[in-house]
């Protein structure tokens, strides 16, 4: 199995705990989570975990936290910080970071004593007008 196939498989599997986490946020804590937030959180979890599996040795660690937004953090053992590739319509794949940046309200990367931690913030709810909460117009 190629490393990319392995990464996609792990990314898809990482969606399950994200769904469970957000379901508990709603049921146990009574916080509203929009369908968009549910979908975007799953997408970001999948992309960040896939990248970690594809580009770092060893297993990644996923951490989900709730505040005014869903905080998705993925740690991996590679100290090299991720970089967005230049736009290339001919490129197949390697768009995970671009996608993450496009759907997140915040994004940061920190080197850790071993490896790095990539964190993205996803707004929990949309405002009554249907706009994504927390995102401002350019």
């Amino acid at each position: 199995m190629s490393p990319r196939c392995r990464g996609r498989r792990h990314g898809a599997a990482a969606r399950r705990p994200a769904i469970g986490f957000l379901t508990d946020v709603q049921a146990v804590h009574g916080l509203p989570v929009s369908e968009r937030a549910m979908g975007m959180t799953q997408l970001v979890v999948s992309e960040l975990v896939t990248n970690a599996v594809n580009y770092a040795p060893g297993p990644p660690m996923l951490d989900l936290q709730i505040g005014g937004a869903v905080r998705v953090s993925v740690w991996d053992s590679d100290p090299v910080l991720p970089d967005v590739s230049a736009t290339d319509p001919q490129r197949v794949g390697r768009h995970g970071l671009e996608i993450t940046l496009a759907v997140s309200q915040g994004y940061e990367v920190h080197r850790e004593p071993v490896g790095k931690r990539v964190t993205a913030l996803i707004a929990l709810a949309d405002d009554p007008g249907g706009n994504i909460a927390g995102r401002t117009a350019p």
Side-chain angles (χ1 to χ4, degrees):
M1 178 181 309
S2 77
R4 288 205 188 276
C5 289
R6 186 171 49 95
R8 281 192 289 266
R9 184 184 59 175
H10 282 83
R15 292 178 184 190
R16 284 189 296 276
I19 293 168
F21 177 78
L22 291 177
T23 300
D24 284 351
V25 162
Q26 292 180 98
V28 175
H29 301 287
L31 293 173
V33 178
S34 70
E35 284 187 43
R36 181 208 46 80
M38 184 72 80
M40 293 301 104
T41 300
Q42 290 177 69
L43 177 62
V44 168
V45 163
S46 182
E47 294 297 337
L48 293 181
V49 169
T50 296
N51 286 350
V53 170
N54 284 342
Y55 301 110
M61 288 192 299
L62 171 65
D63 181 44
L64 300 167
Q65 297 178 0
I66 204 74
V70 181
R71 183 181 212 53
V72 178
S73 294
V74 175
W75 171 89
D76 68 54
S77 60
D78 188 352
V80 176
L81 302 181
D83 192 17
V84 178
S85 300
T87 302
D88 178 359
Q90 302 302 313
R91 184 176 74 230
V92 176
R94 295 185 39 218
H95 296 282
L97 189 53
E98 292 174 76
I99 292 167
T100 297
L101 292 171
V103 303
S104 299
Q105 280 60 56
Y107 173 84
E108 57 190 34
V109 180
H110 293 282
R111 280 201 172 96
E112 299 283 330
V114 175
K116 66 182 169 296
R117 181 174 302 276
V118 179
T119 302
L121 298 174
I122 310 294
L124 283 175
D126 302 336
D127 74 16
N131 297 313
I132 298 171
R135 181 167 286 182
T136 56

